[in-house]
């Protein structure tokens, strides 16, 4: 993430200093900044490739064309304790570095689909290095947290109305991640618990 002074001067001269700050602090990159980084060459192809490998996803919370780069998120968030808990336990093998960030790409992309389809915005996602709080559509929220040392991902679904749908969605996303990016090498157990009763 360090830039040479020459590059930083170029960023400033192109009026993209705010874009750089946004990328460093929020993991969000504008189309204009990507065009600058890649000198306007093969930008559409590179964006498409990164989307297909789940390194970036569309950011559907603003009018400006932006993309989320979850691997650049640095802040650490706190746990969310309420709701139905879905446990993805990868301890039979391991949870690869980057798998959680790719899952976040899929969840955020799903929220962007709602924004495009209904021309309406959900609450903006709260994203951190280790967790994310994403509203897929109004009232349908997911909280995801990674425990990389224990090879686990926890998903909380606050609303009982959306619990079954949320479980199906996450299960489908993990299967997609496994097939499309991880070479079907992931092995996991899936457990569900209603923590509203505790």
């Amino acid at each position: 993430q360090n830039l040479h002074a020459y590059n930083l001067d170029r960023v400033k001269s192109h009026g993209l200093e705010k874009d750089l700050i946004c990328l460093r602090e929020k993991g969000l990159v504008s189309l204009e900044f990507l065009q600058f980084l890649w000198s306007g060459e093969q930008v559409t192809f590179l964006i498409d490739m990164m989307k297909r490998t789940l390194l970036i996803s569309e950011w559907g919370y603003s009018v400006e064309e932006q993309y989320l780069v979850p691997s650049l998120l640095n802040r650490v968030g706190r746990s969310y304790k309420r709701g139905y808990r879905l446990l993805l336990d990868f301890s039979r093998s391991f949870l690869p570095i980057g798998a959680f960030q790719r899952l976040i790409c899929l969840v955020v992309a799903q929220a962007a689909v709602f924004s495009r389809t209904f021309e309406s915005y959900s609450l903006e996602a709260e994203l951190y290095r280790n967790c994310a709080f994403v509203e897929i559509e109004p009232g349908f929220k997911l909280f995801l947290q990674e425990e990389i040392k224990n090879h686990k991902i926890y998903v909380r679904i606050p609303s009982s109305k959306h619990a079954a749908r949320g479980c199906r969605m996450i299960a489908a996303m993990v299967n997609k991640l496994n097939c499309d990016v991880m070479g079907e090498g992931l092995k996991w157990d899936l457990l569900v618990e209603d923590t509203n009763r505790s």
Side-chain angles (χ1 to χ4, degrees):
Q1 293 185 8
N2 294 326
L3 287 180
H4 296 295
Y6 171 74
N7 289 335
L8 185 55
D9 288 341
R10 286 189 62 222
V11 168
K12 290 179 179 179
S13 69
H14 282 77
L16 295 170
E17 194 171 5
K18 288 183 179 179
D19 296 67
L20 177 60
I21 292 170
C22 187
L23 178 60
R24 285 181 162 176
E25 294 183 356
K26 298 182 177 181
L28 295 176
V29 62
S30 66
L31 175 60
E32 187 178 0
F33 197 73
L34 289 176
Q35 289 170 333
F36 164 76
L37 287 177
W38 296 328
S39 303
E41 296 180 9
Q42 302 293 327
V43 174
T44 302
F45 168 77
L46 290 168
I47 288 174
D48 184 59
M49 182 186 68
M50 293 182 76
K51 284 167 64 176
R52 278 194 272 154
T53 53
L54 303 178
L55 295 173
I56 66 172
S57 65
E58 291 184 28
W59 184 250
Y61 300 97
S62 65
V63 176
E64 180 187 4
E65 189 169 349
Q66 288 182 303
Y67 298 90
L68 170 67
V69 189
S71 61
L72 294 182
L73 294 167
N74 292 310
R75 294 183 301 152
V76 175
R78 294 184 295 177
S79 297
Y80 180 84
K81 298 293 187 184
R82 301 296 295 169
Y84 289 78
R85 183 172 75 168
L86 177 66
L87 168 62
L88 299 162
D89 185 352
F90 296 85
S91 60
R92 280 197 293 141
S93 55
F94 69 103
L95 178 60
I97 292 173
F100 179 73
Q101 287 72 25
R102 286 177 162 92
L103 181 59
I104 295 303
C105 274
L106 287 170
V107 174
V108 168
Q110 184 62 43
V113 168
F114 175 84
S115 297
R116 284 197 310 271
T117 305
F118 298 97
E119 297 182 355
S120 173
Y121 299 110
S122 301
L123 291 174
E124 184 169 313
E126 295 179 37
L127 303 173
Y128 303 90
R129 185 177 66 202
N130 64 320
C131 62
F133 197 95
V134 183
E135 186 173 59
I136 303 297
E137 58 190 56
F140 180 15
K141 300 174 183 177
L142 297 174
F143 177 84
L144 300 93
Q145 183 170 14
E146 177 187 40
E147 287 191 3
I148 190 69
K149 291 182 180 178
N150 296 320
H151 304 286
K152 292 178 173 62
I153 294 175
Y154 293 97
V155 181
R156 300 276 184 172
I157 307 166
S159 169
S160 59
K161 176 181 176 182
H162 297 105
R165 182 182 171 196
C167 290
R168 288 194 303 270
M169 178 181 293
I170 291 296
M173 287 178 176
V174 174
N175 277 316
K176 177 177 175 59
L177 172 63
N178 191 34
C179 293
D180 292 0
V181 181
M182 297 298 175
E184 300 188 12
L186 294 178
K187 299 184 187 303
W188 68 93
D189 296 309
L190 191 152
L191 304 169
V192 182
E193 176 186 6
D194 180 2
T195 54
N196 282 316
R197 296 177 182 177
S198 58

